[in-house]
């Protein structure tokens, strides 16, 4: 029988550090909600806004798949693997932390904020060699369709991660409908609305709402506003 969990946008954790305003869908840092620790192997979904010229100083990670998706502005990245890059709106970045990596992230510009999603997924194999990658997406490839941006296969579209997980972006015209068919039996899908209003399996969602769905093999999505944009994150529900 289908199971769902709905997280309305205003129910998320709210951490305002002055230079950083972060909304946490799942427990993170000082936001600790025992019923919102993760969705399957999806551990963190942070919706971050960083002031101009500010950012996260060098800090370590290990045994976590970390995906960053800029929504507006440019984010400067440096890490202990020797990478110095800038990720922009339209890019997707993956850092497979494995045995351990240190990195920093700063807003490249002093006069405007940068907005980005930071997503953590538990890996299905620990203590791997740390790895970094980023790609630039074609936004036309998500107009009234689902654009794959993350997969477990290095040869597939998008960046690849150490987990049986698939992420897709879609941007739809009003009243457009599409089905998403799960890639792997036993997985669930977490739907996160970036802009606009959508209906997923008759559940109405607004901007920044999240909906987890599992114990089914597909979901139906309908856009209720023009240019409704959604991020789908399919992840295993059990390790």
């Amino acid at each position: 029988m289908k199971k769902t969990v709905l997280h309305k946008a205003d129910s998320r954790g709210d951490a305002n550090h002055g230079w950083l305003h972060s909304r946490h869908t799942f427990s993170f840092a000082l936001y600790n909600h025992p019923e919102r620790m993760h969705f399957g192997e999806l551990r963190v979904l942070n919706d971050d806004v960083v002031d101009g010229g500010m950012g996260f100083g060098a800090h370590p990670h290990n045994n976590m798949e970390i995906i960053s998706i800029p929504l507006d502005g440019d984010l400067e990245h440096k890490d202990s693997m020797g990478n110095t890059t800038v990720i922009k709106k339209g890019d997707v970045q993956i850092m497979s932390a494995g045995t351990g990596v240190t990195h920093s992230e700063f807003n490249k510009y002093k006069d405007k904020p940068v907005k980005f999603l930071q997503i953590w997924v538990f890996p299905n194999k620990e203590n791997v060699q740390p790895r970094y990658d980023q790609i630039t997406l074609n936004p036309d490839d998500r107009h009234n369709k689902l654009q794959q941006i993350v997969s477990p296969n290095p040869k597939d579209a998008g960046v690849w991660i150490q987990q049986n997980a698939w992420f897709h972006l879609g941007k739809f015209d009003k009243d457009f409908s599409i089905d998403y068919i799960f890639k792997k039996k036993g997985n669930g899908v977490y739907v996160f609305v970036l802009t606009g209003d959508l209906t997923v399996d008759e559940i109405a969602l607004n901007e920044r709402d999240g909906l987890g769905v599992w114990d089914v093999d597909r979901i139906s999505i309908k856009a209720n506003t023009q240019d409704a944009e959604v991020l789908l994150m399919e992840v295993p529900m059990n390790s």
Side-chain angles (χ1 to χ4, degrees):
M1 182 178 292
K2 179 173 75 174
K3 297 184 178 71
T4 62
V5 59
L6 175 63
H7 299 137
K8 297 297 287 183
D10 61 3
S11 74
R12 297 176 296 169
D14 191 348
N16 195 334
H17 302 284
W19 63 273
L20 166 69
H21 187 194
S22 185
R23 300 302 302 266
H24 308 312
T25 294
F26 304 108
S27 293
F28 187 85
L30 297 179
Y31 173 61
N32 187 1
H33 193 309
E35 295 179 1
R36 291 172 68 159
M37 297 305 297
H38 58 94
F39 175 78
E41 299 300 277
L42 175 61
R43 172 62 189 88
V44 167
L45 174 54
N46 287 349
D47 187 1
D48 290 346
V49 180
V50 179
D51 280 353
M54 304 299 289
F56 306 87
H59 57 282
H61 295 282
N62 64 72
N63 290 321
M64 193 66 72
E65 303 295 296
I66 300 170
I67 300 114
S68 296
I69 304 175
L71 303 177
D72 194 28
D74 297 352
L75 193 67
E76 204 160 21
H77 167 97
K78 294 182 181 179
D79 64 45
S80 55
M81 295 178 280
N83 298 295
T84 300
T85 63
V86 175
I87 55 172
K88 310 176 180 218
K89 181 179 180 179
D91 293 347
V92 176
Q93 176 201 73
I94 173 66
M95 193 172 66
S96 187
T99 53
V101 65
T102 300
H103 77 133
S104 63
E105 297 161 301
F106 280 88
N107 186 341
K108 182 173 173 59
Y109 298 105
K110 296 189 182 302
D111 59 345
K112 59 183 179 182
V114 61
K115 302 176 182 179
F116 73 106
L117 300 179
Q118 185 167 119
I119 301 162
W120 295 5
V121 176
F122 292 116
N124 57 15
K125 185 177 181 182
E126 294 192 340
N127 299 318
V128 299
Q129 180 75 20
R131 178 176 53 85
Y132 177 90
D133 193 16
Q134 74 180 72
I135 59 170
T136 299
L137 303 169
N138 181 354
D140 292 340
D141 291 343
R142 76 189 73 136
H143 178 228
N144 288 340
K145 50 192 170 183
L146 294 170
Q147 177 187 38
Q148 183 171 289
I149 63 169
V150 171
S151 86
N153 188 341
K155 296 181 180 179
D156 283 355
V159 296
W160 69 277
I161 67 171
Q162 196 77 45
Q163 184 53 271
N164 289 316
W166 290 262
F167 289 14
H168 291 77
L169 285 170
K171 189 172 187 178
F172 311 129
D173 296 334
K174 188 176 187 296
D175 297 325
F176 179 81
S177 296
I178 192 169
D179 283 359
Y180 175 77
I181 301 171
F182 290 21
K183 304 288 189 183
K184 187 173 175 62
K185 186 176 177 60
N187 278 4
V189 167
Y190 196 85
V191 180
F192 188 65
V193 182
L194 298 176
T195 57
D197 299 333
L198 297 162
T199 300
V200 176
D201 289 350
E202 301 184 353
I203 298 173
L205 301 176
N206 308 114
E207 187 167 311
R208 294 316 206 255
D209 288 351
L211 175 71
V213 185
W214 68 106
D215 285 355
V216 290
D217 60 7
R218 70 174 61 207
I219 57 173
S220 295
I221 304 165
K222 181 184 177 184
N224 300 324
T225 54
Q226 183 64 26
D227 294 332
E229 193 163 10
V230 67
L231 171 64
L232 305 181
M233 295 165 278
E234 178 181 339
V235 295
M237 296 306 291
N238 300 294
S239 301

